[in-house]
Structure formats: structure tokens, C-alpha cells
Amino acid sequence: MEKTVDNSFPLHPECPDVRRLADNPAEALLRAEADIVAAENAAEFDRYRTLENLEEAQQDGRGVTRRTFVAGAAATATALATAQFVTTSASFAATKTGTLIHVFLYGGLDGLSLVAPDNDAVLSKARPDLLLGNDSLALSRGFKLTGAFKPLEKWLTAGQLGFIPAVSDERLSRSHFQAADACNLGGLPNETGGRGWLDGLVDNLGKGTAFRSVGVGSTLPRSLVGNNGALSLNSVGSLRLNGDQRFRAATEKAIKGLFTGINHPVEEAVQEGMGALATAQKLAAKPYQPAEGVTYEGVGRAFQQLAQLIKGGANVRVATVGMGGYDTHENQGTREGGQLYRRLNELAKAMAAFFTDLGPQAADVTIMVSSEFGRRVRSNTGGTDHGHGGVVTLLSGKKLAGSLLGTWNGLDKLDSGDVPEYNNMFNVYGAVAQGRFGLTNAEVDKIFPRQKYAPMKLYA
């Protein structure tokens, strides 16, 4: 069947000439359409200008208008844009200062294996096999920190590493799926409309580049789902058009031609999406070289992508990194050589490498590490079951108010065997964002529906 863009410029998808434009039929058709649109624009420029003038002069609302013209001309453009740029968004001016990176530890981190009160009678009785080792680091208020975080001791000494214990929310269950969902949304799905809390935060940051919201990984986390078009990428170099490398440059040229001069909002989105692709390609043109002495391993490779973007001027404002392996029902291994110790050590090395690599730019970055829930106080012989009262970790370029932050009222009265909720999770999230970006209480309130924000002092 013949497909026609305009009677003067017929397009025959079955034509051998069209198929020779690319191996992929869809790409071939795209390039053919681009050539046709270019020819149409050249031949019909005066006619379109006349129609534009006619619309401005019309008083009775009849005839050809800009709306009807654009609706027809942009139909193909919209389809192509959604196919090629599902996750890109328009680029705008600068936003509020800094970058917030949310690291989510999937599985439910046992916070008492990260930080714990020293010489605590409850812990000595309930989990003698899971107490922190002799290599632990001292924190304020009688707490100690696992030796797995030794790579971050420099920032602990400088007052830039801190921990908030006993963090939870009454809406969190002991289900991985339900709790992780609520943490990423900033509430229950019916309260948030399925929109992520980081996407709500972006509303308060003003306009920014297409890289202002970035999720490192193959899928976009729930925390970034919403209205602001976050990018999801495994690596900076992976942000490119799909299809054969041989035809990629020609495809980009064709798309730019299709979305130029169409007088439609999609034009800006696609053009700026192409700008994001150009930025990524420029950054990935040569192998990334971290600062001297810095190496990235394990989860550190995700941080490397963010370092490349931040140092390359991509203006990242919020970003996410996910790390699994924290569901420790058995063989938890709190001390050196143990399973959980190794996971925490990998994370600490990654954050230390990242901040070292950023150099002076680390002053504008805050990393917040959290998990869907904590775990029960009592050991189940080598591991712990799902519980509440987890720990949130902060590594910030801004000096913190202390190494142990928030409220702590001890373990004398447990919540059904769990660490009590002394610090609400979403107040913690909000306070971290507020201190990083200078938000008002009212702005934070809007991020978490049905949650009345209670400010917390986290920064010095």
C-alpha cells in the first residue's frame, strides 16, 4: 500500500530504493520521511507563511489555523519522538545548586550492623553473634561504626559523614515490594499517584538540563518516575540512538530535520534530547580517566558514571544508584570477612572513590544511603529477619551537625522486637533535600503527600 505524506511527494515503503537507505526498514523509512519533509519545507515555505498570516487575521475561527496545521504536521513527529526519546526531556536554564544522590540498598539493611550503641546490654543479649568488631570506628553519642566503612574515615573526621538511626514510617510493612515501593514514592501509591519523591523534588529545583534527573541502571527507579523526564542509563556511552552504528549519524541528522520548524512543543523536546545525546557522546568519546589514584570497582562503576557527568558539566541535580545483597536472613557476617561486612565495604570504597574523584566539586554533592526497612534486633542464629528502624547514611560536601544525627532513645522498649521509629523516614528524606538545595518547609511539604513535614537539623 502506498503511504503519502503529501500528494506532491509520494512515499513507497516497498520501494527497493527506500530499503537501501538502511538495513532496518524502520530506519530506512525514517530517513525517507526526513528527505520528504525537507523537500516539502523548501517547496511550501511561502504557503505556510501565508497561512500563518491568515490565521492572525481571522476573526470568525474558520479556515486553516496554526492549530490544525501543527496537529497534522506533528503527528509523525510525535510518534518518532516517543520512539526515540522516551526518557529524554527538554533542556533549560540552571537550577539550584548541588546534586543529591540517593543510594538504595535493596533487601533491607540491618542498621545495627552498620552503626550501634557501644556496649549495649540489649544487643549483647539479643545478638551476641552479630556485634560490631574491634575494628569499629567511634561515633558521637556513644555509638560506633562498622570497620567496613574505614575507607570513609577521612570524611568522618572532617564532619561530613553521619548516620541517622531508628528510621522508619508506619506505612512500611515487612514486605520487600511494599516497603521499597513506599520508600521510593514517598508514601503509598494511592497517596502519591505513583509518582516518585525525587521527581517531586525536581519540581522545586527549577528548570535544568536533560541530565538533571539520572538513574544509573537498566530501568528507571520508582523514585524518579513522574513528570520531569528522568534519564535511565547503564553508562554515559550507552546513551545513544538504537540501531546499526553505520547509520546512527544519518539517523540523527534525519531526526533533527524532521523536528525543525514544526512550531510544536515536541520540537523543543526532541532537539534538546538530541543535545543530551551529543553531550553523552562527547563525554564518552574517549575513555574516562578518574583522578589520580582513584579506581572504581563493583557498585563504584555506577558512581563513575555520575562522576563523568558531573565533572563533564552535565548539571546533574538528582540521581539514583541501586545496590542489592542486603537480605541477610543467614550468614550475615557483621565482622571482617563476613558477607554483610564485604557489601558495606564495597559501598564505602565506592563512595570514597567518588568523592576523591570529584575533588572540589564534591562540596556540592550529598549522598544519602537508605534501604526499604531495617531488621529485627534479635539474631536468628547468624542472620536477621525483616524489621523496622533502619539507618540512613549521609556523606556530604556540606559539614553535618554530627556523626550521629536525629533522635535516639535507646533499645529498652522495642517495637514488637524491632528498633522503634524515632525518626520518620520522610522527614529524614525531606531534611536531606532541604539542606542540600535550600528548600522551604512548604516546598518540602509538597514532595510527600499526606505527610506533614517536621524539619530535622542534619547540617551544621
Side-chain angles (χ1 to χ4, degrees), residues 86-314:
V86 172
T87 58
T88 57
S89 64
S91 174
F92 303 96
T95 64
K96 294 182 179 180
T97 303
T99 304
L100 173 61
I101 300 168
H102 186 193
V103 180
F104 200 84
L105 307 181
Y106 289 94
L109 169 68
D110 177 34
L112 292 171
S113 292
L114 176 61
V115 298
D118 196 10
N119 295 320
D120 186 89
V122 174
L123 296 183
S124 296
K125 181 178 180 180
R127 51 166 60 202
D129 55 332
L130 296 177
L131 299 177
L132 297 182
N134 294 328
D135 61 344
S136 299
L137 307 174
L139 300 179
S140 60
R141 296 161 63 183
F143 268 66
K144 57 184 180 181
L145 167 67
T146 174
F149 262 44
K150 180 76 171 177
L152 291 168
E153 187 173 16
K154 167 185 172 181
W155 291 273
L156 177 64
T157 302
Q160 295 173 267
L161 178 66
F163 304 87
I164 305 106
V167 176
S168 190
D169 185 271
E170 63 182 7
R171 288 166 287 189
L172 303 182
S173 74
R174 289 186 175 87
S175 160
H176 290 297
F177 178 82
Q178 189 274 348
D181 210 32
C183 292
N184 281 290
L185 295 176
L188 300 178
N190 63 350
E191 297 172 353
T192 63
R195 187 184 187 197
W197 80 273
L198 284 176
D199 189 71
L201 169 60
V202 169
D203 286 349
N204 293 303
L205 302 184
K207 296 178 178 179
T209 73
F211 290 98
R212 64 178 177 165
S213 304
V214 176
V216 181
S218 57
T219 58
L220 195 68
R222 293 274 274 171
S223 59
L224 288 175
V225 170
N227 304 330
N228 291 295
L231 290 170
S232 178
L233 51 86
N234 284 310
S235 67
V236 175
S238 69
L239 185 61
R240 60 179 182 267
L241 291 178
N242 294 327
D244 195 307
Q245 173 66 39
R246 294 173 298 167
F247 306 115
R248 197 165 289 150
T251 301
E252 291 179 14
K253 182 179 179 181
I255 292 173
K256 289 177 181 178
L258 280 170
F259 296 104
T260 299
I262 64 172
N263 192 22
H264 189 276
V266 74
E267 177 180 359
E268 182 181 15
V270 173
Q271 294 293 338
E272 296 301 343
M274 295 301 297
L277 291 173
T279 298
Q281 291 167 6
K282 180 180 178 181
L283 292 175
K286 58 181 180 180
Y288 176 68
Q289 292 295 326
E292 185 177 356
V294 172
T295 58
Y296 288 104
E297 297 177 342
V299 72
R301 296 186 183 94
F303 284 98
Q304 178 180 324
Q305 307 311 313
L306 294 176
Q308 187 173 5
L309 288 172
I310 292 171
K311 292 169 70 176

Side-chain angles (χ1 to χ4, degrees), residues 319-338:
T320 62
V321 171
M323 185 182 186
Y326 289 89
D327 194 16
T328 52
H329 290 278
E330 58 186 8
N331 300 321
Q332 186 162 305
T334 300
R335 302 195 181 198
E336 186 173 5

